[in-house]
Amino acid sequence: MFVVTLKFSANKARASALMEGHNAWIKQGFDDGIFLLTGSLQQSAGGAVLAHNTSRADLEMRLQQDPFVVGGVVSADILEIAPGRTDDRLAFLGA
């Protein structure tokens, strides 16, 4: 599974112009069964995505399709996690 942080860059002001495309990109991630959660980083620092059911290479390609990434509004950092122990509610993530 992956935790992606999307941190605002100096081009943050362009976010509103690209928001519709960014929201469509998020919806596609959920529709494809890749995204489990998206949300805002506090203090308006950007956003975060919890992803699974994909490879790192495929996730990197998906991130390159985010209008915020393409437009230089955010930079994406990926943390890859190999789940070892999970709460029963998250058993689908596999150990």
Side-chain angles (χ1 to χ4, degrees), residues 38-62:
T38 62
S40 297
L41 297 175
Q42 296 305 300
Q43 279 75 44
S44 299
V49 177
L50 182 60
H52 80 129
N53 223 17
T54 191
S55 68
R56 185 182 185 102
D58 287 347
L59 180 58
E60 288 171 352
M61 288 186 344
R62 183 178 293 270

Side-chain angles (χ1 to χ4, degrees), residues 24-88:
W25 174 81
I26 289 171
K27 181 182 181 311
Q28 189 64 55
F30 279 103
D31 290 348
D32 292 343
I34 303 300
F35 294 169
L36 295 172
L37 172 147
T38 62
S40 297
L41 297 175
Q42 296 305 300
Q43 279 75 44
S44 299
V49 177
L50 182 60
H52 80 129
N53 223 17
T54 191
S55 68
R56 185 182 185 102
D58 287 347
L59 180 58
E60 288 171 352
M61 288 186 344
R62 183 178 293 270
L63 288 167
Q64 291 306 312
Q65 297 171 356
D66 178 1
F68 275 13
V69 172
V70 173
V73 173
V74 297
S75 61
D77 291 312
I78 301 172
L79 295 172
E80 187 169 356
I81 301 170
R85 181 177 175 184
T86 61
D87 182 281
D88 290 342

